[in-house]
């Protein structure tokens, strides 16, 4: 039983770290308000805003969303929100001002968040 626990604990720790970016330069995102949207279709608007997913990069690696502050890590092109209201959310930096949501399995989702303006 003790041997099983000794093996299970390190395996669980490795699994939890699997979602964390493991390589790439550590950096920060440009400061400002990021607005998130899903692509529309030909019969309506090109983008459908999703304001409940918007956030603001404050300084360094801190952000604010839903009136609460948190911390993110940008490593290479991968962003993971490590604390605060967006904890666990992953995104990929696809341009200087654009991020794209990322699923737990690493596939890119449809939602994009774009730097829309300065901090208010």
């Amino acid at each position: 039983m003790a041997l099983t626990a000794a093996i299970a604990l390190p395996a669980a720790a490795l699994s939890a770290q699997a979602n964390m970016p493991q390589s790439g330069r550590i950096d920060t995102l440009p400061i400002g308000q990021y607005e998130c949207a899903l692509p529309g279709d030909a019969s309506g608007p090109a983008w459908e805003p999703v304001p409940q997913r918007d956030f603001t990069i404050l300084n360094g690696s801190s952000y604010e969303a839903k009136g609460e502050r948190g911390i993110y890590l940008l490593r290479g092109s991968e962003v993971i929100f490590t604390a605060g209201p967006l904890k666990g959310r992953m995104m990929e930096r696809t341009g200087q001002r654009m991020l794209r949501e990322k699923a737990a399995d690493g596939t890119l989702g449809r939602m994009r968040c774009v730097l829309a303006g300065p901090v208010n």
Side-chain angles (χ1 to χ4, degrees):
M1 180 84 169
L3 181 57
T4 303
I7 293 171
L9 287 174
L14 287 174
S15 174
Q17 291 179 356
N19 291 334
M20 292 292 291
Q22 299 299 313
S23 64
R25 185 173 151 234
I26 293 176
D27 202 354
T28 58
L29 294 169
I31 294 172
Q33 295 180 358
Y34 286 74
E35 294 180 356
C36 299
L38 291 167
D41 59 41
S43 65
W47 293 97
E48 296 177 26
V50 186
Q52 65 270 25
R53 301 297 292 269
D54 294 353
F55 58 92
T56 301
I57 299 299
L58 300 171
N59 59 22
S61 57
S62 66
Y63 73 93
E64 185 175 339
K66 304 174 189 173
E68 296 180 45
R69 289 184 175 218
I71 299 171
Y72 72 92
L73 172 66
L74 170 59
R75 190 164 201 173
S77 64
E78 297 192 6
V79 177
I80 186 162
F81 293 87
T82 58
L86 303 180
K87 182 177 181 181
R89 184 172 167 189
M90 296 182 298
M91 305 195 88
E92 182 156 325
R93 189 176 191 179
T94 56
Q96 191 65 14
R97 301 170 55 94
M98 189 181 330
L99 303 169
R100 191 162 167 196
E101 79 175 332
K102 206 168 182 184
D105 66 1
T107 59
L108 293 176
R110 296 178 49 213
M111 185 160 15
R112 289 166 176 81
C113 299
V114 177
L115 177 60
V119 176
N120 284 337

